[in-house]
Amino acid sequence: MGLNEHTVSDAPRDVVRRQYLASAAGDLDALRATLAPDVEWTEMAGFPLAGTYRTPEGVTSNVMERLGQEWEGWTAHDDTYVVDGENVVVLARYTATHCTTGKPLAVRVAHHFVVRGGLIVRFEQFTDTALVRDAAE
């Protein structure tokens, strides 16, 4: 039996997990399907893509597509989930190799998601931006 709207969980942890799986697979349509129309997605100050992006298309075009252009094999490895109601904090790792410098990246990261009605409405990233910058320079 295939997945349909009756078998897909809207639980905050499951929604966030689908986002990571879609990202790892490069499936931007599936990733956009996890995001609310008015999503606010914030990449940390100091990160190469720093800023707040809105709309599912705005997030994927300004974050995921650019990461894919600038980094080989960019992956967010979702290691640990901490869930409190609509808040989901994921302790994770980024791994990649910068396309221009050839330098590898392996850095810890924390992501804070807010999930309402089965969709991600807010995201905030926390990471050591200096390590990311060093790999890109």
Side-chain angles (χ1 to χ4, degrees):
M1 182 169 88
L3 288 179
N4 62 45
E5 64 184 345
H6 300 293
T7 60
V8 175
S9 170
D10 283 345
R13 185 202 186 283
D14 296 335
V15 172
V16 170
R17 177 70 178 139
R18 282 198 301 276
Q19 181 274 150
Y20 282 102
L21 291 172
S23 179
D27 187 343
L28 296 185
D29 287 336
L31 195 153
R32 282 189 286 270
T34 67
L35 304 176
D38 59 348
V39 65
E40 289 188 5
W41 187 280
T42 301
E43 299 286 322
M44 190 169 184
F47 191 73
L49 307 177
T52 298
Y53 304 96
R54 291 173 176 80
T55 77
E57 181 60 41
V59 171
T60 55
S61 64
N62 288 297
V63 180
M64 290 73 182
E65 289 180 18
R66 287 184 53 198
L67 288 171
Q69 293 164 359
E70 298 170 15
W71 298 86
E72 180 68 33
W74 182 276
T75 306
H77 307 270
D78 51 329
D79 297 330
T80 303
Y81 284 70
V82 181
V83 181
D84 180 17
E86 65 184 15
N87 292 284
V88 180
V89 174
V90 181
L91 305 179
R93 297 170 288 121
Y94 290 147
T95 58
T97 302
H98 194 268
C99 291
T100 304
T101 67
K103 293 179 185 176
L105 173 69
V107 64
R108 294 293 289 163
V109 61
H111 291 154
H112 175 215
F113 296 86
V114 177
V115 180
R116 287 192 194 118
L119 295 172
I120 297 166
V121 296
R122 193 171 309 121
F123 165 90
E124 188 173 5
Q125 169 205 60
F126 302 89
T127 192
D128 185 339
T129 58
L131 291 177
V132 179
R133 186 179 58 246
D134 289 350
E137 292 179 346

